[in-house]
Amino acid sequence: MRLLRLGLGCAAIGLLLAGCNTDMWVQQKSHPLDKSDFFPDGQASRPLLQGTIARGHLRADAVFFTGIDNGKWVDKIPTEVNMDLLKRGQERFDIYCTPCHGRLGDGEGMIAKRGFKLKRPVGNIHTDRLRKMPVGHFYDVITNGYGAMYSYASRIEPKDRWAIVAYIRALQLSQNVKATDLTSEQQAKLNEKPQAESHEGGAH
Ligand code: HEC
C-alpha cells in the first residue's frame, strides 16, 4: 500500500513537472523585420519612439563627437593624449589610412602608387596648410570624408578617430622638427656615425 502511494505520488509530481514545461521555443513568434498580421500596419515590431537612443550611443558631448565647437574646428584633442592613445592611433592609422596615405601620411600609399587616379592627389599631411590645421579638421575628415575621400565613420569609433588625429600630429612633428628642438642626447645620437654593418653569421 505504501509503495503504491509512493508510486502515485511520483507520477503526480512527474505530470506536474511536465505541465510546467512551457516550451517557449515552439510558441508563435515574429522576426522584428518580418511581415506580420499582429499589428494593423503589417509590421512585426513597433517603430522606435522619437528620440530613442541605443544604450551607449548618447552623444551629448558635441565637441567630442564632431570636433566642432561654436561652428569652429577645435584646436585641442578633447580626450587625454597619452602613449596608449598614440599607440592605438598608430595601429588604426596603419590599418585604415596607410593604403592611400602611406605610413608617413605623405600620400604615397600603395593604392596611390598603383594608379588610384584622381583629379587631385591623395592628401599629404605634411603641407604647411595641414600642419596649421586645427585637430578638429582631421577628426571631421575621418568622420565625414573629404572630396574624393569617403567617410570612415562606420568603421572607426569616435575615440579611435581622436587617437588617429593624435598620431597624425606625431607624424607631422616627426617630419618637421628642428635638430635644436631635440634634447642634447638625441642631438648627439644624430651625429653618431652609422655603425659598420656586421658580417657575423656566415659568408655572403
Ligand atoms: C582609399 C584611399 C584613402 C584612404 C584609405 C584614406 N584617404 Fe584620406 N584622402 C584620400 C584622398 C583621395 C584625399 C584627397 C581628397 C580630395 O582632395 O578630394 C584624401 C585627403 C585626406 C586629408 C587631407 C584633407 C585636406 O584638408 O586636404 C586628410 C587629413 C586625410 N585624407 C586623412 C585620412 C585619414 C586619417 C585616413 C584613415 C582614417 C584616410 N585619410 C584614409 C584618400 C584616402
Side-chain angles (χ1 to χ4, degrees), residues 67 72-76 129-140 162 165 169:
K72 279 193 178 160
W73 288 314
V74 290
D75 253 332
K76 197 171 164 288
R129 180 178 72 86
L130 285 177
R131 267 198 289 265
K132 287 188 196 130
M133 225 17 129
V135 286
H137 174 65
F138 298 99
Y139 183 90
D140 200 9
W162 285 117
V165 173
R169 276 289 188 250

Side-chain angles (χ1 to χ4, degrees), residues 96-97 100-101 118 120 123 129-130 137-138 146-149 152:
Y96 291 108
C97 319
C100 294
H101 289 278
L118 292 166
R120 292 199 284 181
R129 180 178 72 86
L130 285 177
H137 174 65
F138 298 99
Y146 180 86
M149 180 185 143
Y152 276 81

